[in-house]
Amino acid sequence: MSGSIFGKNFTVTTWGESHGKALGVVIDGCPSGIPLTEEDIQTDLDRRKPGSNTYGTKRKEGDKISILSGVFEGKTTGTPISLIAFNEDQRSRDYSQISECYRPGHADYTFDKKYGFRDYRGGGRSSGRETLSRVAGGVVAKKILKELGIEIMSYTVSIGNIEIDRNKFDIEEVSKNPLYMPDRDAYEKASLFLDECIKNENSAGGIIETVVRGMPVGIGEPVFDKLDANLGKAMFSIGAVKGVEIGQGFLSTKKTGFENNDFFHYNNGKISKLSNNAGGILGGMSDGSEIVIRTAIKPTPSIHKTQQTVNKNNENIDINIKGRHDPVIVPRAVVVTEAMTAITIVDLIFSNMFSNIENIKYLYKR
Amino acid sequence: MSGSIFGKNFTVTTWGESHGKALGVVIDGCPSGIPLTEEDIQTDLDRRKPGSNTYGTKRKEGDKISILSGVFEGKTTGTPISLIAFNEDQRSRDYSQISECYRPGHADYTFDKKYGFRDYRGGGRSSGRETLSRVAGGVVAKKILKELGIEIMSYTVSIGNIEIDRNKFDIEEVSKNPLYMPDRDAYEKASLFLDECIKNENSAGGIIETVVRGMPVGIGEPVFDKLDANLGKAMFSIGAVKGVEIGQGFLSTKKTGFENNDFFHYNNGKISKLSNNAGGILGGMSDGSEIVIRTAIKPTPSIHKTQQTVNKNNENIDINIKGRHDPVIVPRAVVVTEAMTAITIVDLIFSNMFSNIENIKYLYKR
Amino acid sequence: MSGSIFGKNFTVTTWGESHGKALGVVIDGCPSGIPLTEEDIQTDLDRRKPGSNTYGTKRKEGDKISILSGVFEGKTTGTPISLIAFNEDQRSRDYSQISECYRPGHADYTFDKKYGFRDYRGGGRSSGRETLSRVAGGVVAKKILKELGIEIMSYTVSIGNIEIDRNKFDIEEVSKNPLYMPDRDAYEKASLFLDECIKNENSAGGIIETVVRGMPVGIGEPVFDKLDANLGKAMFSIGAVKGVEIGQGFLSTKKTGFENNDFFHYNNGKISKLSNNAGGILGGMSDGSEIVIRTAIKPTPSIHKTQQTVNKNNENIDINIKGRHDPVIVPRAVVVTEAMTAITIVDLIFSNMFSNIENIKYLYKR
Amino acid sequence: MSGSIFGKNFTVTTWGESHGKALGVVIDGCPSGIPLTEEDIQTDLDRRKPGSNTYGTKRKEGDKISILSGVFEGKTTGTPISLIAFNEDQRSRDYSQISECYRPGHADYTFDKKYGFRDYRGGGRSSGRETLSRVAGGVVAKKILKELGIEIMSYTVSIGNIEIDRNKFDIEEVSKNPLYMPDRDAYEKASLFLDECIKNENSAGGIIETVVRGMPVGIGEPVFDKLDANLGKAMFSIGAVKGVEIGQGFLSTKKTGFENNDFFHYNNGKISKLSNNAGGILGGMSDGSEIVIRTAIKPTPSIHKTQQTVNKNNENIDINIKGRHDPVIVPRAVVVTEAMTAITIVDLIFSNMFSNIENIKYLYKR
């Protein structure tokens, strides 16, 4: 495996298995001089933690993070930042079911075929638990963005067929309900729907929207490292993501050019767009509007309901996956999409610094 | 700009502006021993060429490709392959309109802000003409895949609101109509719709589907260089793409886990899936089923209809974009999505070679 | 800082400061199926440890390594391997001298200018202690090479002006003396010389030779990722290295082409060279002969003798560096050169796997 | 082959074979706004050209460079710069000798083993002619450095056993003699020695020194992308290089720490070093002194004198290499070392821009 590093200049290297000794992340390329504490990181980890909402798994995940390097006297030093969370809950348990067959919708089969065997305990490396490392790395990225006045927020816009009503959109509501939905009514309906899912030993998916405010114009590197291209990769690298849209996304294909184009307008000493169908990205570069990304999260594959599958002896069997499972992972993924967005943007902000000789001269003649 | 290189081990470096002297691509990491001729490449370039279908721009693009290096006695040598197409049509023309204002839906504004100025001739580097280089590189990737029995095919599944009827799906039809649609009736309706667009000085978008057959199991590198993550980046790096889906994509969010999971089944000495909602990717690795990707192409931003914008003097103006423009770029993008898919898959096939010590020993003890 | 990752496909990401909480390394790209234990790693760490020879610092370094991920049931799984060693010796001490001035020959000044401040405790990130992570990563690389029959050995060929006598070369002697010299007499002279250095509050440097046996032909990627280019980078990335040679190195400049060329010879079904002035590398690729690298290690900059320098208030001052210091770091560097050589070669062995379409077909049709 | 790209953010991708249609380079990551003409590039190409000095091959190399992209109205646009030189001299000739056997000291054998066959015409990709692309890329790098007040100069310090006398060092002399030696007397002796080499059908090597002036402090990324590490790679990537030294290099191993350490001194509002044994690099970062690199160039392997080798039928044969050959390639390599140094430094100057949050804030609040 050689895919555990994300980013070019601001890099995040994650490691760790669901039920191994620990999980962690090494952040290389973080500038010096940024205040960083373990509490900063813990806050987002707690938002991600299954225990933090009603519909997460009941397993106790400690997720207590430690900073092992790269911070001195409360500030980043410019050297790699190593963050670690030990797995508290490692008692031996019965993995015979999961180790011997291929769970539908999971990576058991592909892992076995690629590597010859797998660490089957709790899903090993393909567990959602791996995203703990991403969220920790994302906090560092967000701290950098904060210094530049850039903010990122993700929230849930649908669970199954229940969608938020844009007319009732209330950003304050996001932190008040465990599904991170910006519409109280939608949350309540989704809540009932998820209760139904649990009763039916089934699960649900949903859609997350991520908004970035305060972007400078010109972030993104044509033609392959476009802002949308790198965000697309970032989002699809999250386990259950099956679709990504920027701005109007698939809907734009139903519009005419005249309807879809955003007109430029000059007012009050500033150029802006009269609409934002583009989702804040033109030609792969930020255009100064809000970045808007939507991400499709498939329904949790782990369900109690009886399914058909194959075991290691190539026998067709029925399987009822045991244990406690999230009926929906969308709220956990909300925090992960924020993290991946932040990491992606910081990386491209660095690349933009040397796009123009005037920038370089300006800095070196400082 | 530092984003003109795509891939890690099989790399494609594109260069060239729409109305500069030439465009080209350098392919590094191509294995030795693959038969390659200029004709091989020309075939796909001709499929991409606007002149090849009724709804493309009428401008004559020569797109005559030359192989300048990396091929000897008809075969690749393992050294970088340089491909070039000179721009035949470089006579001076009137660019005053495009140079002085920011066309809605285009990269004029973001280019200017990022770099301080831009090569405005025909869109410069952000022109769709840049994809010529990608298509040329894609041909080389496809030749490698062909040696391994892997095939890629893209086609149009919708233009505006006109969608193909899956019951009438006919793959033979794709090469018979200029919109590359696998349904004759849908093509005819789309054709009438596009005539309407032209009459209205407007444009349309659409959705492309890409299918990959013959994939081995296990291609893709968890956790960041997942097959879907790298495909996501590849697709979003194409100019007009605003959305990407794998398998059931956004639709999967409306399903339950039980409905969406694909059951494994053993039959005739082989494990396969009873359905393919996953689009051939599990845990970021190919699962042996067909890879299915859908890509949303926004309506062409260049339209004759009057639009509002801002010029370089920060004046709010009306603009009627002159010249001949595609009412739809979907058919051109069809060929580009094939190319980007091929390049992405070859790169990950290389990475998979050293995933297992048995592979390495097998090869070095050959 | 964005330079803590080494390698392209087999990557080693190191982190940690001399007197921080811990040091470690994440190895990404290690194939699955390789037996790996903490003892395997501890052995090389102990060879590197200052306490292991008479001329190292007397500080007790625990260097107890733990494997935190990537190994399951005694074998690598193909997922990232995280190795960690906690710093046992973190009690507060007096760093006022080192924190306030720039030690000659050290990175204090450049760190401060680059990052604005530095973790001054024990040299922070620029301490030789960082090489612990490299050695740990190197063990994993050596395990891979062992599976392919490739062996690496480094030893000391000179300390100050005392050089080994090639006629007395005895490889068995290397592990028997703390300076890792393959000549008992030279070791004894060097030993006396180092006693003298200590008495004079001074230090010494030396030259290390690294030999690689069992290399297949063709490892190395022309034109920039040549085997010698990547080895050159690997060696110069080690703290005190000021020169690197391959084969005859600088001496080859004094020879004629006829003297320096190695003639090819066919014998017993095998092509070999009648001499090895090239040091096993032709055109940047291994030629099947032994790889021979020599590395110049500067004298330890930390000495007790009075030196002149500048403090943070820009005052010219005298400095007597306190504490216990190695009079020579050459023996510690011996183990580090082996590690960096192993990491470099594994990475290029991976790249070589897809150099030829026959290799790829051979593997995928397995 | 996947090694034709050098650099991380400022990348140089070279392509082309000695006797193919053309050679070229794509420079990605060049900032916008830098004046660049074909004449700028031609000047250095002419310095590199064999015809430019008495001891180069007599073959006429046109080396006429064209800029194909990335420059508009005389300035770089920030998009990739494609440079090309067509091979004028491609008439068919007799390659039977070189195609059928392995020339000692050349890459014929390793290329064949790695790739299965090779473009044998004039050495193909392993020809010194490949450095044309590097020199072209180096010119662009030098233009960037010039904007920052950084200058690079290389010259010959020895040819065979003839060394320059440092007391007679005259930098003006470098451009006045075809061996680029800064000492007229040494040049004259070397000249006689080379005449002797030609008469003996033999060849010679030499040592090049490269000096960089005007470096800011802090360029280089610990711990792996140190300035010296990347320079080491850059230099060893040049065909005939067998050794690289920074500052005192191998000589430093013979000194004590007290002799080798450079003392810091504050004077006139500025910290500097009282000596420069370190060659301008401390802890892998520039320290503000001159960077000093020495590079060992082996004697040209192509000689007329009879040598032993093996042919493709595994027969031991005698070989007399025909054609005109440089008795020494040192002067050509002088220009190449400048180019590789410039490319390396620009790349690390970019990385340094985001080492500190103050830099980033300073730039984005501009």
Side-chain angles (χ1 to χ4, degrees):
Chain A
M1 188 185 298
S2 57
S4 295
I5 303 176
F6 188 85
K8 186 174 177 179
N9 290 300
F10 180 81
T11 62
V12 165
T13 303
T14 72
W15 57 269
E17 278 84 35
S18 177
H19 286 64
K21 285 195 186 161
L23 294 103
V25 58
V26 181
I27 300 139
D28 195 33
C30 182
S32 64
I34 297 165
L36 186 69
T37 66
E38 291 172 351
E39 289 67 40
D40 289 331
I41 303 162
Q42 201 64 49
T43 305
D44 261 20
L45 285 192
D46 290 346
R47 287 175 66 214
R48 189 206 73 99
K49 200 162 53 171
S52 66
N53 74 67
T54 316
Y55 300 104
T57 52
K58 300 305 178 292
R59 167 185 169 194
K60 194 190 158 302
E61 293 189 11
D63 292 8
K64 173 84 187 59
I65 205 80
S66 296
I67 301 176
L68 296 181
S69 70
V71 176
F72 184 57
E73 296 178 344
K75 289 192 172 180
T76 60
T77 58
T79 64
I81 299 168
S82 178
L83 305 176
I84 194 170
F86 281 91
N87 281 326
E88 297 179 351
D89 189 12
Q90 291 185 69
R91 61 185 160 82
S92 83
R93 56 184 82 191
D94 180 11
Y95 291 111
S96 55
Q97 186 194 37
I98 179 173
S99 69
E100 291 304 316
C101 73
Y102 303 127
R103 290 169 298 164
H106 276 279
D108 302 339
Y109 175 66
T110 47
F111 255 93
D112 260 20
K113 290 295 159 187
K114 186 179 184 83
Y115 300 110
F117 75 122
R118 69 184 194 281
D119 181 345
Y120 45 72
R121 299 167 303 166
R125 181 74 177 148
S126 66
S127 164
R129 191 153 166 71
E130 175 267 337
T131 58
L132 179 155
S133 306
R134 301 181 184 223
V135 170
V139 170
V140 178
K142 283 186 197 174
K143 297 280 281 189
I144 298 171
L145 295 180
K146 198 181 164 191
E147 300 271 339
L148 303 173
I150 301 170
E151 278 182 325
I152 298 174
M153 186 164 203
S154 291
Y155 43 82
T156 304
V157 293
S158 72
I159 296 286
N161 284 297
I162 296 134
E163 298 179 23
I164 61 162
D165 181 344
R166 295 275 170 180
N167 295 318
K168 297 183 188 162
F169 193 98
D170 176 10
I171 200 71
E172 300 297 317
E173 179 59 32
V174 172
S175 57
K176 292 182 188 155
N177 69 71
L179 294 176
Y180 300 138
M181 296 185 93
D183 167 359
R184 185 78 201 172
D185 291 350
Y187 156 64
E188 282 168 6
K189 280 182 222 161
S191 187
L192 291 172
F193 169 64
L194 291 175
D195 290 343
E196 197 75 11
C197 283
I198 294 171
K199 217 173 63 190
N200 296 336
E201 306 190 311
N202 213 332
S203 65
I207 301 176
I208 294 167
E209 192 164 272
T210 304
V211 173
V212 188
R213 294 202 181 90
M215 285 292 285
V217 182
I219 306 302
E221 301 296 307
V223 298
F224 292 118
D225 292 331
K226 284 173 170 150
L227 178 50
D228 32 0
N230 284 13
L231 285 171
K233 170 165 180 155
M235 293 311 192
F236 273 115
S237 78
I238 304 171
V241 170
K242 298 304 285 185
V244 177
E245 292 185 318
I246 303 291
Q248 289 290 311
F250 279 86
L251 197 56
S252 72
T253 69
K254 312 296 179 200
K255 299 188 171 185
T256 66
F258 186 80
E259 290 162 341
N260 191 60
N261 281 347
D262 303 309
F263 298 162
F264 288 104
H265 190 73
Y266 181 81
N267 193 25
N268 259 331
K270 198 164 158 284
I271 293 175
S272 59
K273 287 155 47 199
L274 293 177
S275 54
N276 190 19
N277 293 325
I281 304 178
L282 280 174
M285 293 166 275
S286 58
D287 66 13
S289 310
E290 283 184 0
I291 309 287
V292 182
I293 314 152
R294 260 179 317 283
T295 312
I297 308 291
K298 73 172 183 182
T300 319
S302 294
I303 53 173
H304 291 186
K305 218 177 168 78
T306 307
Q307 300 181 90
Q308 302 169 40
T309 193
V310 174
N311 67 15
K312 285 202 167 183
N313 301 325
N314 286 335
E315 294 162 328
N316 291 310
I317 58 165
D318 279 353
I319 183 172
N320 296 72
I321 300 173
K322 296 172 196 163
R324 309 215 61 143
H325 302 292
D326 296 11
V328 72
I329 58 163
V330 174
R332 301 185 72 167
V334 160
V335 189
V336 184
T337 57
E338 285 183 13
M340 292 309 297
T341 301
I343 292 165
T344 303
I345 290 176
V346 166
D347 199 31
L348 287 173
I349 279 179
F350 288 1
S351 294
N352 185 55
M353 291 180 75
F354 39 81
S355 58
N356 194 307
I357 190 68
E358 295 311 317
N359 286 359
I360 304 174
K361 283 161 76 174
Y362 182 70
L363 203 58
Y364 281 100
K365 290 181 176 159
R366 194 182 171 180
Chain B
M1 188 185 298
S2 56
S4 296
I5 304 176
F6 188 84
K8 186 174 177 181
N9 290 300
F10 181 79
T11 62
V12 165
T13 303
T14 71
W15 56 269
E17 278 83 37
S18 176
H19 286 63
K21 285 194 186 162
L23 294 102
V25 59
V26 181
I27 299 138
D28 196 32
C30 181
S32 64
I34 297 164
L36 186 70
T37 66
E38 291 172 351
E39 289 67 39
D40 288 331
I41 303 163
Q42 201 65 47
T43 305
D44 260 20
L45 286 191
D46 290 346
R47 287 175 66 214
R48 189 207 73 100
K49 200 161 54 171
S52 66
N53 74 66
T54 316
Y55 300 105
T57 52
K58 299 306 179 293
R59 167 187 170 193
K60 193 190 159 300
E61 294 188 11
D63 293 6
K64 174 85 186 58
I65 206 80
S66 297
I67 300 175
L68 296 180
S69 70
V71 176
F72 184 57
E73 296 177 345
K75 289 194 174 179
T76 60
T77 59
T79 64
I81 300 168
S82 179
L83 306 176
I84 195 169
F86 281 91
N87 281 324
E88 296 178 353
D89 188 14
Q90 292 185 68
R91 61 184 161 81
S92 84
R93 57 184 79 190
D94 181 10
Y95 291 111
S96 55
Q97 187 194 36
I98 179 173
S99 70
E100 292 304 316
C101 74
Y102 303 127
R103 290 169 297 163
H106 276 279
D108 302 340
Y109 174 66
T110 46
F111 255 95
D112 260 20
K113 292 294 160 187
K114 186 180 184 84
Y115 300 110
F117 76 121
R118 70 183 193 279
D119 181 346
Y120 46 73
R121 300 166 303 165
R125 181 72 177 149
S126 66
S127 165
R129 192 155 165 68
E130 175 268 337
T131 58
L132 179 155
S133 305
R134 300 181 185 222
V135 171
V139 170
V140 178
K142 283 186 197 173
K143 297 280 282 188
I144 297 171
L145 294 179
K146 199 181 163 191
E147 300 270 340
L148 303 173
I150 301 169
E151 278 182 325
I152 298 174
M153 186 165 204
S154 290
Y155 43 81
T156 304
V157 293
S158 73
I159 296 285
N161 285 296
I162 296 134
E163 298 178 24
I164 61 161
D165 180 343
R166 295 275 169 180
N167 294 318
K168 297 184 187 161
F169 193 98
D170 176 10
I171 200 70
E172 300 296 316
E173 179 59 31
V174 173
S175 58
K176 292 183 189 156
N177 69 71
L179 295 175
Y180 299 137
M181 295 184 94
D183 167 359
R184 185 79 200 171
D185 291 351
Y187 157 64
E188 282 168 6
K189 280 183 221 160
S191 188
L192 291 173
F193 168 63
L194 291 175
D195 290 344
E196 197 75 10
C197 283
I198 295 171
K199 217 174 61 189
N200 296 336
E201 305 189 311
N202 213 334
S203 65
I207 300 175
I208 294 167
E209 192 164 272
T210 304
V211 172
V212 188
R213 292 202 183 90
M215 285 292 284
V217 182
I219 306 302
E221 300 297 307
V223 297
F224 292 118
D225 292 332
K226 285 173 170 150
L227 178 50
D228 31 0
N230 284 13
L231 285 171
K233 172 166 179 156
M235 293 311 193
F236 273 115
S237 79
I238 303 171
V241 170
K242 299 304 285 186
V244 176
E245 293 185 317
I246 304 291
Q248 289 290 312
F250 278 87
L251 198 56
S252 71
T253 69
K254 311 296 180 202
K255 299 189 171 183
T256 65
F258 186 80
E259 290 162 343
N260 191 59
N261 281 347
D262 302 310
F263 299 161
F264 288 103
H265 190 73
Y266 182 81
N267 193 24
N268 259 332
K270 200 165 157 280
I271 293 175
S272 59
K273 287 155 45 200
L274 293 177
S275 54
N276 190 18
N277 293 325
I281 304 178
L282 280 174
M285 294 167 273
S286 58
D287 65 14
S289 310
E290 284 185 0
I291 309 287
V292 182
I293 314 152
R294 262 181 316 282
T295 312
I297 309 290
K298 74 173 183 181
T300 320
S302 294
I303 54 174
H304 291 186
K305 216 175 169 79
T306 307
Q307 301 181 89
Q308 302 170 38
T309 194
V310 175
N311 67 15
K312 286 201 167 181
N313 302 324
N314 286 335
E315 293 162 330
N316 291 310
I317 58 165
D318 280 353
I319 183 172
N320 296 71
I321 300 173
K322 296 170 196 163
R324 309 216 60 142
H325 302 292
D326 295 12
V328 72
I329 58 163
V330 174
R332 301 184 72 167
V334 159
V335 189
V336 184
T337 57
E338 284 182 13
M340 292 308 297
T341 301
I343 292 165
T344 303
I345 289 176
V346 166
D347 199 30
L348 287 172
I349 278 179
F350 288 2
S351 293
N352 185 56
M353 291 179 76
F354 38 82
S355 58
N356 195 307
I357 190 67
E358 295 310 318
N359 286 359
I360 304 173
K361 283 161 75 174
Y362 182 71
L363 203 58
Y364 280 100
K365 291 183 175 159
R366 195 182 168 178
Chain C
M1 189 187 296
S2 57
S4 296
I5 305 177
F6 188 85
K8 186 175 179 181
N9 290 299
F10 181 80
T11 61
V12 165
T13 304
T14 72
W15 56 269
E17 280 80 39
S18 175
H19 287 63
K21 284 195 186 161
L23 294 102
V25 59
V26 181
I27 299 138
D28 196 32
C30 181
S32 64
I34 298 164
L36 185 70
T37 66
E38 292 173 350
E39 289 66 40
D40 288 332
I41 303 163
Q42 202 64 50
T43 306
D44 261 21
L45 285 192
D46 290 346
R47 286 175 65 214
R48 190 206 73 98
K49 200 163 52 172
S52 65
N53 72 66
T54 317
Y55 301 105
T57 51
K58 298 308 180 287
R59 166 184 170 196
K60 192 187 161 300
E61 295 188 10
D63 292 8
K64 174 82 187 59
I65 206 80
S66 297
I67 300 176
L68 296 180
S69 71
V71 175
F72 184 57
E73 297 179 342
K75 288 192 174 181
T76 59
T77 59
T79 65
I81 300 167
S82 177
L83 306 176
I84 195 171
F86 281 91
N87 281 325
E88 298 177 350
D89 188 13
Q90 291 184 66
R91 62 186 159 80
S92 83
R93 58 183 81 192
D94 181 11
Y95 292 111
S96 55
Q97 186 193 37
I98 179 173
S99 69
E100 293 302 317
C101 73
Y102 303 127
R103 290 170 298 164
H106 276 280
D108 303 339
Y109 174 66
T110 47
F111 254 93
D112 259 20
K113 292 293 161 189
K114 185 179 185 81
Y115 299 109
F117 75 122
R118 70 184 195 280
D119 181 345
Y120 45 73
R121 299 167 302 166
R125 181 73 177 149
S126 66
S127 164
R129 189 150 169 72
E130 175 267 339
T131 58
L132 179 155
S133 306
R134 302 180 183 223
V135 171
V139 169
V140 179
K142 284 186 197 173
K143 296 280 282 189
I144 298 170
L145 295 180
K146 198 181 164 191
E147 300 271 338
L148 303 173
I150 301 170
E151 280 182 323
I152 298 174
M153 188 167 201
S154 291
Y155 43 80
T156 304
V157 293
S158 72
I159 296 285
N161 284 298
I162 296 135
E163 297 178 25
I164 61 161
D165 181 342
R166 295 276 169 177
N167 295 318
K168 297 183 187 162
F169 193 98
D170 175 10
I171 200 70
E172 301 296 317
E173 179 59 31
V174 172
S175 58
K176 292 183 190 155
N177 70 71
L179 295 175
Y180 299 137
M181 296 184 93
D183 167 359
R184 185 80 201 171
D185 292 350
Y187 157 64
E188 282 167 7
K189 279 183 220 158
S191 188
L192 292 173
F193 168 63
L194 290 175
D195 290 343
E196 196 76 10
C197 283
I198 294 172
K199 216 174 63 191
N200 296 336
E201 306 188 310
N202 213 334
S203 66
I207 300 175
I208 294 167
E209 192 163 271
T210 303
V211 172
V212 188
R213 293 201 182 90
M215 285 291 284
V217 182
I219 306 302
E221 299 297 307
V223 294
F224 293 118
D225 293 330
K226 285 174 170 152
L227 178 51
D228 32 0
N230 284 13
L231 285 171
K233 171 166 179 154
M235 293 312 193
F236 272 115
S237 78
I238 304 170
V241 170
K242 300 303 285 184
V244 176
E245 293 184 318
I246 303 291
Q248 289 290 312
F250 279 87
L251 197 57
S252 72
T253 69
K254 312 296 178 201
K255 298 187 170 185
T256 66
F258 186 80
E259 290 162 343
N260 190 60
N261 283 347
D262 302 310
F263 298 162
F264 288 103
H265 190 73
Y266 182 81
N267 192 23
N268 259 330
K270 200 165 158 284
I271 292 175
S272 59
K273 287 155 46 199
L274 294 177
S275 53
N276 190 18
N277 293 325
I281 304 177
L282 279 174
M285 293 165 275
S286 58
D287 65 13
S289 310
E290 284 183 0
I291 309 287
V292 182
I293 313 152
R294 260 180 315 283
T295 311
I297 309 290
K298 74 173 182 181
T300 319
S302 294
I303 54 173
H304 291 187
K305 216 177 168 80
T306 307
Q307 299 181 88
Q308 302 169 39
T309 192
V310 173
N311 66 16
K312 285 200 167 182
N313 300 324
N314 285 334
E315 294 163 328
N316 290 310
I317 58 165
D318 279 354
I319 184 172
N320 296 71
I321 300 174
K322 297 171 196 164
R324 311 216 58 143
H325 301 291
D326 295 12
V328 72
I329 57 163
V330 174
R332 299 185 74 167
V334 159
V335 189
V336 184
T337 57
E338 285 182 12
M340 292 308 299
T341 301
I343 292 165
T344 303
I345 289 175
V346 166
D347 199 32
L348 287 172
I349 278 178
F350 288 1
S351 295
N352 185 55
M353 291 179 76
F354 37 82
S355 59
N356 196 306
I357 190 67
E358 295 310 318
N359 285 359
I360 303 174
K361 284 161 75 174
Y362 182 70
L363 203 58
Y364 280 99
K365 289 180 177 160
R366 195 184 168 179
Chain D
M1 190 186 296
S2 57
S4 296
I5 304 177
F6 188 86
K8 185 174 179 181
N9 289 299
F10 181 81
T11 61
V12 165
T13 303
T14 71
W15 56 270
E17 279 82 38
S18 175
H19 286 63
K21 284 196 187 160
L23 294 103
V25 59
V26 181
I27 299 138
D28 196 32
C30 182
S32 64
I34 298 164
L36 185 70
T37 66
E38 291 173 348
E39 290 66 40
D40 288 332
I41 302 163
Q42 202 64 50
T43 306
D44 261 20
L45 285 192
D46 290 346
R47 287 174 65 214
R48 189 206 74 98
K49 200 162 52 171
S52 65
N53 72 67
T54 317
Y55 300 105
T57 52
K58 300 307 179 291
R59 167 186 170 195
K60 192 188 160 300
E61 293 189 11
D63 292 6
K64 173 82 187 59
I65 205 81
S66 296
I67 300 176
L68 295 181
S69 71
V71 176
F72 184 56
E73 297 178 343
K75 288 192 174 180
T76 59
T77 60
T79 64
I81 300 167
S82 177
L83 306 176
I84 194 170
F86 281 91
N87 282 325
E88 298 177 352
D89 188 13
Q90 290 185 68
R91 62 187 158 79
S92 83
R93 59 183 80 191
D94 180 11
Y95 292 111
S96 54
Q97 186 193 38
I98 178 173
S99 70
E100 292 304 317
C101 74
Y102 303 128
R103 290 169 298 163
H106 276 280
D108 302 340
Y109 175 67
T110 47
F111 255 94
D112 260 20
K113 291 294 160 189
K114 186 180 184 81
Y115 299 109
F117 76 121
R118 69 185 194 278
D119 181 346
Y120 46 72
R121 299 166 302 165
R125 181 72 177 150
S126 66
S127 164
R129 190 152 168 70
E130 175 267 338
T131 59
L132 178 154
S133 305
R134 301 180 184 224
V135 170
V139 170
V140 179
K142 284 186 197 173
K143 296 281 282 190
I144 298 171
L145 294 179
K146 198 181 164 190
E147 300 271 339
L148 303 173
I150 301 169
E151 280 182 323
I152 298 174
M153 187 167 203
S154 290
Y155 43 81
T156 304
V157 293
S158 72
I159 295 286
N161 285 297
I162 295 134
E163 297 178 24
I164 61 161
D165 181 342
R166 295 275 170 177
N167 295 318
K168 295 183 187 164
F169 193 97
D170 176 11
I171 200 69
E172 301 296 317
E173 178 60 31
V174 173
S175 57
K176 292 182 188 154
N177 70 70
L179 295 175
Y180 300 137
M181 296 184 92
D183 167 0
R184 186 79 202 171
D185 291 352
Y187 158 64
E188 282 168 7
K189 279 183 221 158
S191 187
L192 292 172
F193 168 64
L194 291 174
D195 289 344
E196 197 76 10
C197 283
I198 295 171
K199 218 175 61 191
N200 297 336
E201 305 187 311
N202 213 333
S203 66
I207 299 175
I208 294 168
E209 192 164 271
T210 304
V211 173
V212 188
R213 293 200 183 92
M215 285 291 283
V217 182
I219 305 303
E221 300 297 307
V223 295
F224 293 118
D225 293 331
K226 284 173 171 152
L227 178 51
D228 31 359
N230 285 13
L231 285 170
K233 171 166 179 155
M235 293 311 193
F236 273 115
S237 79
I238 304 170
V241 169
K242 300 303 285 185
V244 176
E245 293 185 318
I246 303 291
Q248 289 289 313
F250 279 86
L251 197 56
S252 71
T253 69
K254 311 295 178 203
K255 297 188 172 184
T256 66
F258 186 80
E259 289 162 343
N260 191 60
N261 282 347
D262 302 310
F263 298 160
F264 288 103
H265 190 73
Y266 182 80
N267 193 24
N268 260 331
K270 200 166 158 281
I271 293 175
S272 59
K273 285 155 47 199
L274 293 177
S275 54
N276 190 18
N277 293 326
I281 303 178
L282 280 174
M285 293 166 275
S286 58
D287 65 14
S289 310
E290 284 183 359
I291 309 287
V292 182
I293 313 152
R294 260 179 317 282
T295 311
I297 309 290
K298 75 173 182 180
T300 319
S302 294
I303 54 174
H304 291 186
K305 215 176 169 79
T306 306
Q307 300 181 88
Q308 302 170 39
T309 193
V310 174
N311 67 15
K312 285 200 167 184
N313 301 324
N314 286 334
E315 294 162 329
N316 291 311
I317 58 165
D318 280 353
I319 184 173
N320 296 71
I321 299 173
K322 297 171 195 163
R324 311 216 58 143
H325 301 292
D326 296 12
V328 72
I329 58 163
V330 175
R332 301 184 73 166
V334 159
V335 189
V336 184
T337 58
E338 285 182 13
M340 292 307 298
T341 301
I343 291 165
T344 303
I345 289 176
V346 166
D347 198 32
L348 287 172
I349 278 179
F350 288 2
S351 294
N352 185 55
M353 290 179 76
F354 38 82
S355 58
N356 196 306
I357 190 67
E358 296 310 319
N359 285 359
I360 303 174
K361 284 161 74 175
Y362 182 71
L363 203 59
Y364 280 99
K365 289 183 175 157
R366 195 184 169 179

